[in-house]
Amino acid sequence: MNRKSGCAVEVTLSVMGGTWKPIILFHLLHGKKRFSELDRQIGGITQRMLTLQLRELEEAGIVERTVHAEVPPRVDYALTALGQTLQPVLLAMRHWGETYAREHLQEDAAPAHCTMDTEAAVPLQRAA
Amino acid sequence: MNRKSGCAVEVTLSVMGGTWKPIILFHLLHGKKRFSELDRQIGGITQRMLTLQLRELEEAGIVERTVHAEVPPRVDYALTALGQTLQPVLLAMRHWGETYAREHLQEDAAPAHCTMDTEAAVPLQRAA
DNA sequence: CAGCATCCCTGAAGATACTG
DNA sequence: CAGTATCTTCAGGGATGCTG
């Protein structure tokens, strides 16, 4: 746990900070996803990174990993109740990014898989 | 600009991501601050890092740098109107961090300089 | 399919010293 | 006071190949 100056912001960062975690979490807001789905939907991530990040999120109690004892193997990941509470943060980030891109970058909006209906996605279970 | 998978979240991250930027921005929510004030209030950051991060934020149009032509030299930093729009994101992060720390880390809340009255701080100028 | 193991590399961040 | 200038370290991340 990294708490350089003891700020609550850093606690959040230590859990969902980094290059990939916010993106992974964002895709999971949609609902549970399989490893390969995440792999495909998040362009550019390596399997190694995806695995590592998912493990860290799992250890922080943010995502839940379910292994189905089948052949071929199937594993899916979903946000835990605690993970759901990150929704406001993630949505705030997305909203800001969209506005910034639109008003300051003059680029088109994010592609469909990112502009997905997250507002109407999974309802918050613990507004904390 | 890093847009690996084109997500709006990444746009936000590219602007306010990293180890120090959120913390710096957080301290600036309070109002304008001098270089040395930030240096002191953010425990553990080096002058070099502080300078670098502030320059990047300045270039992104998030903070404004004001040089006072005096002796001894004085420079202060403040959020621009655009920077103010990050408030919701920052506050959401802090709020989540506080709750997480309280409920899952069983540690005391953040120190005073972080629990500062940011809710009542500078009002949003462009809710975007 | 999901994911480890290995090796490698870059770039973010730190330490320290100096200056207009 | 508010930075620069160097040098160094190291962890985040990439590529590839193998396996239960």
Side-chain angles (χ1 to χ4, degrees):
Chain A
M1 181 71 54
N2 160 24
R3 297 192 64 184
K4 284 181 183 55
S5 68
C7 291
V9 191
E10 295 173 41
V11 176
T12 305
L13 256 21
S14 72
V15 170
M16 59 153 298
T19 312
W20 299 111
K21 290 204 191 80
I23 304 171
I24 295 173
L25 291 173
F26 199 78
H27 282 274
L28 288 179
L29 281 181
H30 226 178
K32 76 175 159 200
K33 289 222 159 62
R34 305 183 50 167
F35 185 85
S36 49
E37 283 183 284
L38 287 170
D39 196 12
R40 253 178 290 110
Q41 288 174 14
I42 303 175
I45 196 172
T46 56
Q47 289 186 325
R48 169 192 149 81
M49 268 302 122
L50 186 52
T51 304
L52 286 174
Q53 303 301 307
L54 282 169
R55 287 290 134 75
E56 290 178 18
L57 289 170
E58 195 188 351
E59 211 167 321
I62 301 297
V63 308
E64 196 178 16
R65 181 167 175 266
T66 312
V67 182
H68 301 268
E70 314 175 346
V71 174
R74 204 177 90 206
V75 178
D76 46 39
Y77 295 89
L79 292 179
T80 61
L82 175 60
Q84 296 288 342
T85 64
L86 278 170
Q87 207 182 66
V89 180
L90 263 357
L91 291 182
M93 287 179 126
R94 185 186 63 147
H95 182 250
W96 193 90
E98 281 173 354
T99 307
Y100 182 79
R102 191 162 47 245
E103 299 186 0
H104 297 267
L105 302 178
Q106 295 296 343
E107 296 176 20
D108 51 358
H113 77 281
C114 275
T115 328
M116 56 194 186
D117 54 318
T118 27
E119 342 268 4
V122 194
L124 276 177
Q125 294 180 24
R126 353 184 322 169
Chain B
M1 181 69 54
N2 161 23
R3 297 193 65 185
K4 285 180 183 55
S5 68
C7 291
V9 190
E10 295 173 41
V11 176
T12 305
L13 255 22
S14 72
V15 171
M16 59 154 296
T19 312
W20 298 111
K21 290 205 191 80
I23 305 170
I24 295 173
L25 291 173
F26 199 79
H27 282 274
L28 288 178
L29 281 181
H30 226 181
K32 77 175 159 197
K33 289 220 159 62
R34 306 182 50 165
F35 185 85
S36 49
E37 283 183 284
L38 287 170
D39 196 11
R40 252 177 291 110
Q41 289 174 15
I42 303 175
I45 196 173
T46 57
Q47 290 186 323
R48 170 193 150 81
M49 267 304 123
L50 186 51
T51 305
L52 285 175
Q53 304 301 308
L54 282 169
R55 286 290 136 75
E56 289 178 17
L57 289 170
E58 194 188 351
E59 211 167 319
I62 301 296
V63 309
E64 196 178 17
R65 181 167 175 267
T66 313
V67 183
H68 301 268
E70 314 173 349
V71 174
R74 204 176 91 206
V75 179
D76 46 37
Y77 295 88
L79 292 178
T80 60
L82 175 60
Q84 297 288 341
T85 64
L86 278 170
Q87 209 182 66
V89 180
L90 264 358
L91 291 182
M93 288 179 127
R94 185 186 63 145
H95 181 251
W96 193 90
E98 282 172 354
T99 306
Y100 181 77
R102 190 164 46 245
E103 298 186 2
H104 297 268
L105 301 178
Q106 295 297 344
E107 296 175 21
D108 50 359
H113 76 280
C114 274
T115 327
M116 57 196 184
D117 55 317
T118 27
E119 342 269 3
V122 194
L124 276 177
Q125 292 180 25
R126 351 183 322 168

Coordinates of all heavy atoms in Angstrom, one line a residue, chain A residues 21-34 38 41-42 54 57 62-64 76-80 84 87 90 116 118 121-122:
Chain A
K21 N -5.6 -1.0 -14.9 CA -6.7 -1.3 -14.0 C -8.0 -0.5 -14.3 O -9.0 -1.1 -14.3 CB -6.2 -1.1 -12.6 CG -5.2 -2.2 -12.1 CD -5.2 -2.3 -10.6 CE -4.1 -3.2 -10.1 NZ -2.8 -2.4 -10.0
P22 N -7.9 0.8 -14.5 CA -9.1 1.5 -14.7 C -9.8 1.0 -16.0 O -11.1 0.9 -16.0 CB -8.6 3.0 -14.9 CG -7.3 3.1 -14.3 CD -6.7 1.7 -14.4
I23 N -9.1 0.6 -17.0 CA -9.7 0.2 -18.2 C -10.4 -1.2 -18.0 O -11.5 -1.4 -18.4 CB -8.6 0.1 -19.3 CG1 -8.0 1.4 -19.5 CG2 -9.3 -0.4 -20.6 CD1 -6.8 1.4 -20.4
I24 N -9.7 -2.1 -17.3 CA -10.2 -3.4 -17.0 C -11.5 -3.2 -16.2 O -12.6 -3.7 -16.5 CB -9.2 -4.2 -16.2 CG1 -8.0 -4.5 -17.0 CG2 -9.9 -5.5 -15.7 CD1 -6.9 -5.2 -16.2
L25 N -11.4 -2.4 -15.1 CA -12.6 -2.2 -14.3 C -13.7 -1.6 -15.1 O -14.9 -1.9 -14.9 CB -12.2 -1.2 -13.2 CG -11.3 -1.8 -12.1 CD1 -10.9 -0.8 -11.1 CD2 -12.0 -3.0 -11.4
F26 N -13.4 -0.7 -16.0 CA -14.4 -0.1 -16.8 C -15.1 -1.1 -17.6 O -16.4 -1.0 -17.8 CB -13.7 0.9 -17.7 CG -14.7 1.9 -18.2 CD1 -15.2 2.9 -17.4 CD2 -15.3 1.7 -19.5 CE1 -16.1 3.8 -17.8 CE2 -16.2 2.6 -19.9 CZ -16.7 3.6 -19.1
H27 N -14.4 -2.0 -18.2 CA -15.1 -3.1 -19.0 C -15.9 -4.0 -18.1 O -16.9 -4.5 -18.6 CB -14.0 -3.9 -19.8 CG -13.5 -3.1 -21.0 ND1 -14.2 -3.2 -22.2 CD2 -12.5 -2.3 -21.1 CE1 -13.5 -2.5 -23.1 NE2 -12.5 -1.9 -22.5
L28 N -15.5 -4.1 -16.9 CA -16.3 -5.0 -16.0 C -17.5 -4.4 -15.4 O -18.4 -5.0 -14.9 CB -15.4 -5.5 -14.8 CG -14.3 -6.5 -15.3 CD1 -13.5 -6.9 -14.1 CD2 -15.0 -7.8 -15.9
L29 N -17.6 -3.0 -15.6 CA -18.8 -2.4 -15.1 C -20.0 -2.9 -15.9 O -21.2 -2.9 -15.4 CB -18.8 -0.9 -15.4 CG -18.0 0.0 -14.5 CD1 -18.0 1.5 -14.9 CD2 -18.5 -0.1 -13.1
H30 N -19.7 -3.4 -17.1 CA -20.7 -3.9 -18.0 C -21.3 -5.2 -17.5 O -22.4 -5.6 -17.9 CB -20.0 -4.2 -19.3 CG -20.8 -3.7 -20.5 ND1 -20.4 -3.8 -21.8 CD2 -22.0 -3.1 -20.5 CE1 -21.3 -3.3 -22.6 NE2 -22.3 -2.9 -21.8
G31 N -20.6 -5.9 -16.6 CA -21.1 -7.2 -16.2 C -19.9 -8.1 -16.2 O -18.8 -7.8 -16.6
K32 N -20.1 -9.4 -15.9 CA -18.9 -10.3 -15.8 C -18.5 -10.6 -17.2 O -19.2 -10.7 -18.2 CB -19.3 -11.6 -15.0 CG -20.2 -12.5 -15.8 CD -20.4 -13.8 -14.9 CE -21.6 -14.6 -15.4 NZ -22.1 -15.5 -14.4
K33 N -17.2 -10.9 -17.3 CA -16.5 -11.2 -18.6 C -15.5 -12.3 -18.4 O -14.9 -12.4 -17.4 CB -15.8 -9.9 -19.1 CG -16.8 -8.8 -19.5 CD -16.3 -8.2 -20.8 CE -17.4 -7.5 -21.6 NZ -18.0 -6.4 -20.8
R34 N -15.3 -13.0 -19.5 CA -14.3 -14.0 -19.5 C -12.9 -13.4 -19.8 O -12.8 -12.3 -20.3 CB -14.6 -15.1 -20.6 CG -16.0 -15.6 -20.5 CD -16.2 -16.7 -21.6 NE -15.1 -17.7 -21.6 CZ -15.2 -18.8 -22.2 NH1 -16.3 -19.1 -22.9 NH2 -14.2 -19.6 -22.2
L38 N -12.1 -10.0 -22.2 CA -11.3 -8.8 -21.8 C -10.1 -8.6 -22.7 O -9.8 -7.5 -23.1 CB -10.9 -9.0 -20.3 CG -12.0 -8.9 -19.3 CD1 -11.5 -9.3 -17.9 CD2 -12.5 -7.4 -19.2
Q41 N -11.4 -7.2 -26.0 CA -12.0 -5.9 -25.9 C -11.0 -4.8 -25.5 O -11.1 -3.6 -25.9 CB -13.2 -5.9 -24.9 CG -14.3 -6.6 -25.5 CD -15.5 -6.8 -24.5 OE1 -15.5 -6.1 -23.4 NE2 -16.4 -7.7 -24.8
I42 N -10.0 -5.1 -24.7 CA -9.0 -4.2 -24.4 C -7.9 -4.3 -25.4 O -7.0 -5.2 -25.3 CB -8.4 -4.4 -22.9 CG1 -9.6 -4.4 -21.9 CG2 -7.4 -3.3 -22.6 CD1 -9.2 -4.7 -20.5
L54 N -5.5 -8.5 -13.1 CA -6.7 -9.1 -12.5 C -6.4 -9.7 -11.2 O -7.2 -9.6 -10.3 CB -7.2 -10.2 -13.5 CG -8.0 -9.7 -14.7 CD1 -8.2 -10.8 -15.7 CD2 -9.3 -9.1 -14.3
L57 N -6.3 -7.0 -8.6 CA -7.6 -6.5 -8.3 C -8.4 -7.5 -7.5 O -9.2 -7.2 -6.6 CB -8.4 -6.2 -9.6 CG -7.9 -5.0 -10.4 CD1 -8.5 -5.0 -11.8 CD2 -8.2 -3.7 -9.7
I62 N -11.6 -6.4 -5.3 CA -12.4 -5.6 -6.2 C -13.1 -6.4 -7.3 O -14.2 -6.1 -7.7 CB -11.4 -4.6 -7.0 CG1 -10.7 -3.6 -6.0 CG2 -12.2 -3.8 -8.0 CD1 -11.7 -2.8 -5.2
V63 N -12.4 -7.5 -7.7 CA -13.0 -8.4 -8.7 C -13.0 -9.8 -8.1 O -12.3 -10.2 -7.2 CB -12.3 -8.4 -10.0 CG1 -12.1 -7.0 -10.6 CG2 -11.0 -9.1 -9.9
E64 N -13.9 -10.6 -8.6 CA -14.1 -11.9 -8.2 C -13.8 -12.8 -9.4 O -14.3 -12.6 -10.5 CB -15.5 -12.1 -7.7 CG -15.8 -13.3 -6.9 CD -17.2 -13.4 -6.4 OE1 -18.0 -12.7 -7.0 OE2 -17.5 -14.2 -5.5
D76 N -14.4 -16.6 -15.4 CA -14.9 -15.3 -15.6 C -14.7 -14.4 -14.4 O -14.5 -14.8 -13.3 CB -16.3 -15.2 -16.2 CG -17.3 -16.1 -15.5 OD1 -17.1 -16.2 -14.2 OD2 -18.1 -16.7 -16.1
Y77 N -14.7 -13.1 -14.8 CA -14.3 -12.1 -13.8 C -15.5 -11.1 -13.6 O -16.1 -10.8 -14.6 CB -13.1 -11.3 -14.2 CG -11.9 -12.2 -14.2 CD1 -11.5 -12.9 -15.4 CD2 -11.1 -12.3 -13.1 CE1 -10.4 -13.7 -15.4 CE2 -9.9 -13.1 -13.1 CZ -9.6 -13.8 -14.3 OH -8.5 -14.6 -14.3
A78 N -15.8 -10.8 -12.4 CA -16.9 -9.8 -12.1 C -16.5 -8.9 -11.0 O -15.6 -9.3 -10.2 CB -18.2 -10.6 -11.8
L79 N -17.1 -7.7 -11.0 CA -16.8 -6.8 -9.9 C -17.5 -7.4 -8.6 O -18.6 -7.9 -8.7 CB -17.4 -5.5 -10.2 CG -16.8 -4.7 -11.3 CD1 -17.5 -3.3 -11.5 CD2 -15.3 -4.4 -11.0
T80 N -16.9 -7.3 -7.5 CA -17.5 -7.6 -6.2 C -18.4 -6.4 -5.8 O -18.4 -5.4 -6.5 CB -16.4 -7.8 -5.1 OG1 -15.7 -6.6 -5.0 CG2 -15.5 -8.9 -5.5
Q84 N -18.1 -2.6 -7.2 CA -19.2 -1.7 -7.7 C -19.1 -0.3 -7.2 O -19.5 0.6 -7.9 CB -20.5 -2.3 -7.3 CG -20.8 -3.7 -7.8 CD -21.1 -3.7 -9.3 OE1 -21.5 -2.6 -9.9 NE2 -21.0 -4.8 -10.0
Q87 N -17.7 2.6 -9.3 CA -18.4 3.0 -10.4 C -18.4 4.6 -10.6 O -18.1 5.1 -11.6 CB -19.9 2.5 -10.4 CG -20.4 2.4 -11.8 CD -21.9 1.9 -11.9 OE1 -22.8 2.6 -11.4 NE2 -22.1 0.7 -12.4
L90 N -15.1 5.8 -11.8 CA -14.8 5.4 -13.2 C -15.7 6.2 -14.1 O -15.2 6.7 -15.2 CB -15.2 3.9 -13.4 CG -14.1 2.8 -13.4 CD1 -12.7 3.3 -13.2 CD2 -14.4 1.8 -12.3
M116 N -20.3 2.5 -24.2 CA -21.4 1.6 -23.8 C -22.3 2.1 -22.7 O -21.9 3.1 -22.0 CB -20.8 0.2 -23.4 CG -19.8 0.4 -22.2 SD -18.9 -1.1 -22.0 CE -17.9 -0.7 -20.6
T118 N -22.9 2.4 -19.8 CA -22.6 2.2 -18.4 C -23.4 2.9 -17.4 O -23.5 2.5 -16.2 CB -21.1 2.5 -18.2 OG1 -20.8 3.5 -19.1 CG2 -20.2 1.3 -18.3
A121 N -25.8 0.6 -16.5 CA -25.3 -0.7 -16.2 C -25.7 -1.3 -14.9 O -26.9 -1.1 -14.5 CB -23.8 -0.7 -16.3
V122 N -24.8 -1.9 -14.2 CA -25.2 -2.5 -12.9 C -25.4 -1.4 -11.9 O -24.6 -0.5 -11.7 CB -24.0 -3.4 -12.4 CG1 -24.4 -4.3 -11.3 CG2 -23.5 -4.2 -13.6

